[in-house]
């Protein structure tokens, strides 16, 4: 039995979970509404304020999807109740970020500014404080979408190992390399 798949998902107050006949799970809460189509082989039941995912057999495919869909439903429940938040830091001289509505403007040392239009489900805020690196704060109820947006922003200028310049997550530790070493004579 899958350790993750067999764990029931507790439904917090203010969140409603419904499963229709096409095996589409809909989760509504104070932060929004999310839907996920579940494999028809798996069974999703709502029992006394808990969501339980069961599989029909111990086939390799069923075991893999058991944990997957349980994790996706859990992420939806957490997303609509508390939401997800990611903070990214711009490390480098002259690196700046500003946000106007759903458009994020980044200055990353290129000859031009980069404009990224974010999906409406993602809220963005750019902070710049004196003597600190600029921060990009992203919030959403959809964990998958938030991770995708963060990966797209990070791909514009990944942190490099020599000086540590680039876009990184707050708290992320970058493995540093030593540069050229002086030759011994």
């Amino acid at each position: 039995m899958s350790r993750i798949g067999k764990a029931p998902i507790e439904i917090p107050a203010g969140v409603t979970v419904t499963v229709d006949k096409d095996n589409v799970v809909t989760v509504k809460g104070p932060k929004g509404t999310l839907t996920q189509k579940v494999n028809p082989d798996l069974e999703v039941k709502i029992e006394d304020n808990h969501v339980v995912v069961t599989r029909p057999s111990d086939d390799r495919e069923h075991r893999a999807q058991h944990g997957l869909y349980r994790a996706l439903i859990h992420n939806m429940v957490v997303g609509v109740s508390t939401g997800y938040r990611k903070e990214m830091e711009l490390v480098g001289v002259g690196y700046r970020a500003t946000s106007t509505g759903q458009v994020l403007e980044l200055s990353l040392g290129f000859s031009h500014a980069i404009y990224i239009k974010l999906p409406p489900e993602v809220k963005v805020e750019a902070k710049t404080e004196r003597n600190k690196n600029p921060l990009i704060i992203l919030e959403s109820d959809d964990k998958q979408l938030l991770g995708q947006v963060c990966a797209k922003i990070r791909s514009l200028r990944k942190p490099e190992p020599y000086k540590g310049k680039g876009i990184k997550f707050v708290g992320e530790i970058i493995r540093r390399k030593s540069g050229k070493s002086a030759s011994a004579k």
Side-chain angles (χ1 to χ4, degrees):
M1 202 65 180
S2 167
R3 286 184 309 201
I4 294 171
K6 70 181 178 184
I9 305 164
E10 187 175 339
I11 303 171
V15 176
T16 58
V17 180
T18 56
V19 183
D20 67 2
K21 62 182 182 337
D22 296 330
N23 237 16
V24 176
V25 178
T26 305
V27 182
K28 292 180 185 171
K31 298 263 184 184
T33 303
L34 295 172
T35 59
Q36 175 68 48
K37 180 151 179 45
V38 178
N39 186 338
D41 293 344
L42 300 176
E43 187 179 357
V44 180
K45 290 184 271 186
I46 299 163
E47 300 169 347
D48 51 79
N49 214 26
H50 285 77
V51 179
V52 179
V53 181
T54 55
R55 64 177 185 234
S57 69
D58 276 343
D59 290 349
R60 184 181 178 94
E61 188 176 333
H62 288 156
R63 285 188 317 218
Q65 292 181 349
H66 188 207
L68 167 74
Y69 284 111
R70 188 265 178 205
L72 290 176
I73 294 168
H74 180 263
N75 290 344
M76 289 167 36
V77 169
V78 172
V80 298
S81 61
T82 59
Y84 290 99
R85 176 185 172 103
K86 294 267 189 182
E87 293 183 359
M88 302 178 89
E89 185 177 11
L90 279 70
V91 181
V93 177
Y95 287 12
R96 286 188 302 278
T98 55
S99 63
T100 50
Q102 289 301 103
V103 177
L104 181 65
E105 180 186 352
L106 299 169
S107 298
L108 301 173
F110 297 116
S111 61
H112 57 282
I114 299 169
Y115 296 92
I116 301 173
K117 181 152 176 39
L118 300 172
E121 296 89 4
V122 178
K123 294 179 186 69
V124 65
E125 181 186 349
K127 281 187 181 177
T128 307
E129 293 180 25
R130 191 170 168 86
N131 295 330
K132 288 190 178 177
N133 291 328
L135 285 177
I136 302 169
I137 300 166
L138 300 163
E139 293 182 33
S140 180
D141 58 353
D142 191 346
K143 188 175 186 179
Q144 279 180 293
L145 181 65
L146 184 64
Q148 220 171 356
V149 169
C150 288
K152 176 66 179 167
I153 292 171
R154 184 184 160 100
S155 72
L156 299 171
R157 186 71 98 173
K158 286 187 179 168
E160 52 96 17
Y162 296 101
K163 291 184 180 177
K165 292 169 54 174
I167 302 173
K168 68 182 191 96
F169 292 104
V170 172
E172 179 183 5
I173 298 168
I174 298 162
R175 288 191 55 201
R176 302 292 292 270
K177 292 181 179 178
S178 61
K180 292 181 187 176
S181 58
S183 61
K185 286 190 176 183

